[in-house]
Amino acid sequence: MPALTPDDIHSATETLSRLTEYLRDDDPDPSEALALVEPLLDEYTGIPVQLGDTLRALARAVLDHPDTSRTPRTHLLIGQLRTAAWEQTDQHTLHYVLDDLRTLLTNVSADAPECCRCR
């Protein structure tokens, strides 16, 4: 795997910014919006899980590096990274919200009349 650069990560965050702008400004169909957001909140590979794993890996990389000072402050900061990692990972349940929202939207559209004359 080629080495990652800050530009690679910036590209990913730029894509998220574009998605946010699209959802905010272009008034997409709700089913289309859900389809675009679903991969971000996948139960196993979505952003909450990936970010949690990334924060834990960062904590490990910093702590395991031979040049890292072993001070109480260092251990406090590592602990904060690990706590943040668990808090992010806990958000993996957001995929259930998407499931419920999809069901709600499907039921609402199925119950809605086709045109004004049908009322």
Side-chain angles (χ1 to χ4, degrees), residues 37-75:
V37 172
E38 264 182 316
L40 300 176
L41 298 176
D42 182 83
E43 175 178 13
Y44 302 106
T45 61
I47 287 178
V49 173
Q50 294 293 327
L51 184 55
D53 288 347
T54 300
L55 293 174
R56 279 187 286 281
L58 172 61
R60 185 178 311 109
V62 169
L63 197 57
D64 290 350
H65 195 276
D67 293 339
T68 299
S69 61
R70 307 284 190 244
T71 65
R73 178 80 173 140
T74 301
H75 289 284

Side-chain angles (χ1 to χ4, degrees), residues 21 30 33-34 39 42 44-45 65 73 77-78 104 107 110-111 113 118:
E21 288 175 23
L34 280 170
D42 182 83
Y44 302 106
T45 61
H65 195 276
R73 178 80 173 140
L77 293 171
I78 296 299
L104 177 70
N107 290 339
D111 294 339
C118 299

Side-chain angles (χ1 to χ4, degrees), residues 8 23 32 72 92 106:
D8 294 328
L23 293 174
E32 178 189 359
H92 80 280
T106 301

